Amino acid sequence: MLNGRTPSVKDVAAAAGVSLGTVSNVMNRPAVVSARTRERVERAMSELGFVRNESARQLRAGTSRTLAYVMLDGSNPFFHDVAHGIELAAEDADLSLFICNSNSRADREETHLDRLLQQRVQGILITPVDPEAPHLRALTRRGVPLVIVDRRRADGSCCSVAVDDVHGGRVAVEHLAEQGHQRVAFIGGPDSLGQVRERLQGARAVWAELGRPADHLVYLPTAAMTVAEGRSAGERLAGLPARRRPTAAFCANDLLALGLLQQGIGAGLRVPEELAIVGFDDIEFAAAAAVPLTSVRQPRQELGRAAAQLVLDEATNPTHEHQQLFFTPELVARASSRAR
Amino acid sequence: MLNGRTPSVKDVAAAAGVSLGTVSNVMNRPAVVSARTRERVERAMSELGFVRNESARQLRAGTSRTLAYVMLDGSNPFFHDVAHGIELAAEDADLSLFICNSNSRADREETHLDRLLQQRVQGILITPVDPEAPHLRALTRRGVPLVIVDRRRADGSCCSVAVDDVHGGRVAVEHLAEQGHQRVAFIGGPDSLGQVRERLQGARAVWAELGRPADHLVYLPTAAMTVAEGRSAGERLAGLPARRRPTAAFCANDLLALGLLQQGIGAGLRVPEELAIVGFDDIEFAAAAAVPLTSVRQPRQELGRAAAQLVLDEATNPTHEHQQLFFTPELVARASSRAR
DNA sequence: TTGTATGCGTTATCAG
DNA sequence: CTGATAACGCATACAA
């Protein structure tokens, strides 16, 4: 009767000598079925190797048991830590997590979102290429629970979870100033990224408050937030005339900082004596660098956890209201910037 | 008629003034429907914002459009690169990829596999905690297409894709010997990992062939393949009496090597002059290290791609036969080991 | 407490 | 080329 097919509730019912509805009850409302029957059904299930068909369940129940996270850059460990936080929350809610990677490409992002819509995921978490993209707004219009992670939308038209980047910029530069640096470089870009702008803004603000001359905070723009760009920024930094050359650099993320560190050490610079470095994110590799990297720590897992909770609220709570959550990042001082 | 519901084929059919079957044809066999009708249907779709319900499709078609990869350790970028390779292949086949992370825990792995079975994924790729685990063998028994990635099963009872670890061990140690090192440490563990054993085996074989005394190749076992364990191995290394202390270390993966590098530099050692280091995997951070890391390169994306192709073959080709694919890793020499 | 019947949205078959 | 209809496997309302 089962010729090669994977067993269905019907087969289980037949094997256990009960009706199909009873089998379903065993799975979904175990309290309502007698212990003896339940046991018989369960034995039949395991004997047949029954595995419930999630598609059928979902079609009938009208609700899926999966969340999705579309991450921006799979080569940056930061996003994997965020994803891990989401997964922990998903697990608690007994949900599966679909992880996609847009690789910073809007078209890939759109393709992924399309598929996720087809899967009827319960909610979507995303670190978008562009928080204002029309295909994102379309999601909200469709009523798909959506949370933007590590970015935000100016108009608050959906939930988001991020850190206070301005504050992050402040503490980084404040720390470098405290260490006695008179000239500091800010490395990051492209400045179409809100984060880059805000971190720079915080840096400049605190620099001004400390009464330092504005042109002693040098902005070295990069084309991306990668190790390679960090190296290239390091070369530009080295090319500056000695008297105007910053003795410290604040990088908009850790990959840049790692690249800068590598370039500097390769060029024979002593870190932090000749070049102090502060990164941002505090990915694991920051602490593992040859000279452990000072970094502005984002609560990576917490970010993910909180985002997942927001999306679940939006998915289940009819009185849900959009929230913009902010975490306050804090400086983790390590050898790459410590007292000279 | 649509009160809040997400539109179905039926709604599209009504809106376009055609029958439901025609709408289905537009999606699945566009050639069979007239251009005019097709256009009308497509307009109706986009006006209503129709998105096909994948659960229903799957239930009816009996076949899902997703693959899954269960990775061993989300904190090791190596596995993300493998995942990326899988995703590229999945994309080519117009499939979605479910990524899970067992975090080296057998129970998490089993939970994930369970869920994937419920989803009726087309095939499962996995870097397992234990390739021989019964819950894995159960998959094969159920007829679920399965490919083991970066590990293998001795009996060839399923497909696998890996590199020749013995060869990897050979080239690493051969390289260090060529650089003039008389004493070399092998760092890795636990030795329950087949990879660790095989890399060590290759190392020992070539060492013997070169006529070096066996006890000049020192095995420093670790409890895991992490940065922290690399650091701790470095401390043990430093603790050896100077005359017996190896001047070079071959680490069973790059995380260990990075930890060792950090510990060594922190302790004031010059790399490679006083301590040469070779890693394994060649993750991106290897090249980005302060002293760029020599490493035995695994074709990470290729591994993933090939695995995906195998699983697809098993899923679709009735005459499929299990294959054990082997890639030959090659040494990428960088500053951490270069001529002194 | 258990059984029966219905429908979820889609695809495929087959008769117009 | 189009349209009606029967599954797919499960969950639920309702009947027994």
Side-chain angles (χ1 to χ4, degrees):
Chain A
M1 63 208 214
L2 221 99
N3 28 291
R5 258 184 334 97
T6 109
S8 74
V9 273
K10 208 188 287 182
D11 302 311
V12 174
V18 301
S19 90
L20 179 160
T22 301
V23 177
S24 179
N25 280 336
V26 169
M27 295 192 287
N28 303 303
R29 320 154 67 179
V32 95
V33 31
S34 78
R36 258 191 74 255
T37 315
R38 189 171 56 223
E39 204 199 324
R40 240 192 12 234
V41 171
E42 278 164 351
R43 186 171 34 246
M45 283 187 182
S46 77
E47 270 166 15
L48 271 65
F50 170 79
V51 174
R52 143 215 279 113
N53 183 324
E54 174 63 21
S55 292
R57 201 220 107 257
Q58 179 174 329
L59 178 57
R60 172 60 228 222
T63 159
S64 90
R65 313 259 342 126
T66 65
L67 247 37
Y69 176 47
V70 183
M71 68 175 139
L72 184 65
D73 175 9
S75 69
N76 188 342
F78 170 78
F79 294 107
H80 293 290
D81 294 338
V82 171
H84 191 225
I86 297 172
E87 179 153 35
L88 293 176
E91 212 174 290
D92 289 348
D94 200 34
L95 263 35
S96 298
L97 178 66
F98 239 122
I99 299 176
C100 313
N101 175 9
S102 71
N103 257 310
S104 296
R105 280 177 41 193
D107 61 326
R108 303 277 308 120
E109 179 178 297
E110 206 171 344
T111 306
H112 284 310
L113 290 175
D114 229 63
R115 273 235 232 287
L116 297 174
L117 248 37
Q118 294 185 18
Q119 309 268 8
R120 299 288 194 273
V121 294
Q122 277 223 11
I124 295 179
L125 311 179
I126 184 169
T127 303
V129 175
D130 170 14
E132 320 282 352
H135 62 255
L136 268 193
R137 305 207 99 101
L139 287 185
T140 309
R141 226 173 311 120
R142 291 186 74 87
V144 180
L146 176 74
V147 174
I148 291 181
V149 182
D150 197 45
R151 295 281 188 281
R152 63 209 161 87
R153 214 128 77 174
D155 60 3
S157 56
C158 70
C159 283
S160 65
V161 177
V163 303
D164 183 339
D165 288 303
V166 175
H167 179 79
R170 293 184 61 95
V171 295
V173 166
E174 190 171 33
H175 167 74
L176 289 172
E178 272 170 13
Q179 304 291 309
H181 295 279
Q182 298 297 322
R183 291 175 184 266
V184 171
F186 175 88
I187 297 175
D191 66 4
S192 55
L193 294 179
Q195 296 184 307
V196 172
R197 287 196 306 272
E198 293 179 2
R199 288 167 195 179
L200 176 55
Q201 176 191 333
R204 284 184 171 147
V206 76
W207 194 249
E209 285 166 26
L210 292 168
R212 308 295 180 87
D215 64 348
H216 286 199
L217 181 64
V218 184
Y219 176 26
L220 292 179
T222 62
M225 308 275 268
T226 61
V227 174
E229 283 291 314
R231 270 195 298 261
S232 118
E235 282 156 16
R236 273 178 290 152
L237 191 61
L240 295 179
R243 105 167 42 83
R244 275 181 34 220
R245 184 160 54 231
T247 55
F250 166 40
C251 300
N253 83 356
D254 284 342
L255 298 186
L256 289 169
L258 254 13
L260 175 65
L261 175 66
Q262 182 186 33
Q263 196 279 331
I265 290 190
L269 246 48
R270 282 171 305 143
V271 175
E273 291 79 0
E274 297 171 279
L275 176 65
I277 301 178
V278 174
F280 206 111
D281 289 351
D282 196 27
I283 60 176
E284 275 189 44
F285 287 98
V291 181
L293 208 61
T294 295
S295 191
V296 179
R297 179 177 179 279
Q298 298 210 52
R300 309 182 301 274
Q301 283 198 15
E302 282 317 305
L303 241 39
R305 260 216 134 86
Q309 275 150 12
L310 283 182
V311 88
L312 284 178
D313 185 68
E314 182 165 357
T316 57
N317 174 2
T319 70
H320 170 86
E321 295 192 7
H322 294 328
Q323 293 177 48
Q324 279 71 44
L325 248 48
F326 274 89
F327 286 85
T328 301
E330 41 186 67
L331 188 92
V332 182
R334 301 202 182 86
S336 74
S337 70
R338 217 106 69 165
R340 335 190 269 161
Chain B
M1 66 216 215
L2 223 97
N3 29 294
R5 260 185 330 99
T6 109
S8 74
V9 274
K10 208 189 284 179
D11 302 311
V12 174
V18 301
S19 90
L20 178 160
T22 301
V23 177
S24 176
N25 280 337
V26 168
M27 295 192 286
N28 304 303
R29 320 156 65 179
V32 96
V33 30
S34 80
R36 256 190 76 255
T37 314
R38 189 172 56 224
E39 205 199 323
R40 236 186 23 228
V41 170
E42 278 164 351
R43 186 172 32 247
M45 283 185 178
S46 78
E47 270 166 15
L48 271 66
F50 170 80
V51 174
R52 127 186 326 97
N53 183 323
E54 174 63 22
S55 291
R57 202 220 105 256
Q58 180 173 328
L59 177 58
R60 170 62 228 214
T63 158
S64 88
R65 313 239 8 106
T66 65
L67 246 38
Y69 177 47
V70 183
M71 69 174 139
L72 184 64
D73 175 8
S75 69
N76 187 344
F78 171 78
F79 294 109
H80 293 289
D81 294 338
V82 171
H84 190 225
I86 298 172
E87 179 153 35
L88 293 176
E91 210 174 293
D92 289 348
D94 200 35
L95 262 38
S96 299
L97 178 66
F98 238 122
I99 299 175
C100 313
N101 176 9
S102 72
N103 257 310
S104 298
R105 281 176 42 194
D107 60 327
R108 304 276 309 121
E109 179 178 299
E110 206 171 344
T111 307
H112 284 309
L113 290 175
D114 229 62
R115 272 235 232 289
L116 296 174
L117 249 35
Q118 294 186 17
Q119 310 268 7
R120 300 289 194 272
V121 294
Q122 278 224 9
I124 296 180
L125 311 179
I126 184 169
T127 305
V129 176
D130 170 13
E132 320 281 353
H135 61 254
L136 268 193
R137 306 207 97 102
L139 288 185
T140 309
R141 227 174 309 119
R142 293 186 73 87
V144 180
L146 176 74
V147 174
I148 291 181
V149 182
D150 197 46
R151 295 283 187 281
R152 64 212 162 84
R153 214 130 76 177
D155 60 3
S157 57
C158 69
C159 283
S160 64
V161 177
V163 302
D164 183 338
D165 288 303
V166 175
H167 179 79
R170 292 184 63 94
V171 295
V173 166
E174 190 171 34
H175 167 74
L176 289 172
E178 273 169 13
Q179 305 290 311
H181 295 280
Q182 298 297 322
R183 290 176 185 268
V184 170
F186 175 87
I187 298 176
D191 67 4
S192 56
L193 295 178
Q195 296 184 307
V196 172
R197 287 197 306 273
E198 292 180 2
R199 288 167 194 179
L200 176 55
Q201 177 190 332
R204 283 183 170 149
V206 76
W207 193 249
E209 286 167 24
L210 292 167
R212 307 294 180 86
D215 64 347
H216 286 199
L217 181 65
V218 185
Y219 176 26
L220 293 180
T222 62
M225 308 274 268
T226 61
V227 174
E229 283 290 316
R231 270 193 299 261
S232 118
E235 281 156 17
R236 274 177 290 153
L237 191 61
L240 294 179
R243 104 169 41 84
R244 274 181 36 220
R245 185 160 53 231
T247 56
F250 166 39
C251 299
N253 82 357
D254 284 342
L255 298 185
L256 289 169
L258 254 13
L260 175 65
L261 176 65
Q262 183 185 33
Q263 195 279 334
I265 290 190
L269 247 48
R270 281 171 305 143
V271 175
E273 291 79 0
E274 296 172 280
L275 176 64
I277 301 177
V278 174
F280 207 111
D281 288 349
D282 195 28
I283 61 177
E284 275 189 44
F285 286 99
V291 181
L293 207 63
T294 296
S295 191
V296 179
R297 179 177 178 280
Q298 297 211 51
R300 309 181 301 274
Q301 284 199 14
E302 281 317 305
L303 240 39
R305 261 214 132 85
Q309 275 150 11
L310 283 182
V311 90
L312 284 178
D313 185 68
E314 182 166 357
T316 57
N317 175 3
T319 70
H320 170 87
E321 295 192 7
H322 294 326
Q323 292 177 48
Q324 279 71 44
L325 248 48
F326 274 88
F327 286 85
T328 302
E330 41 187 66
L331 188 92
V332 181
R334 301 201 182 87
S336 75
S337 71
R338 218 107 68 167
R340 332 191 268 163

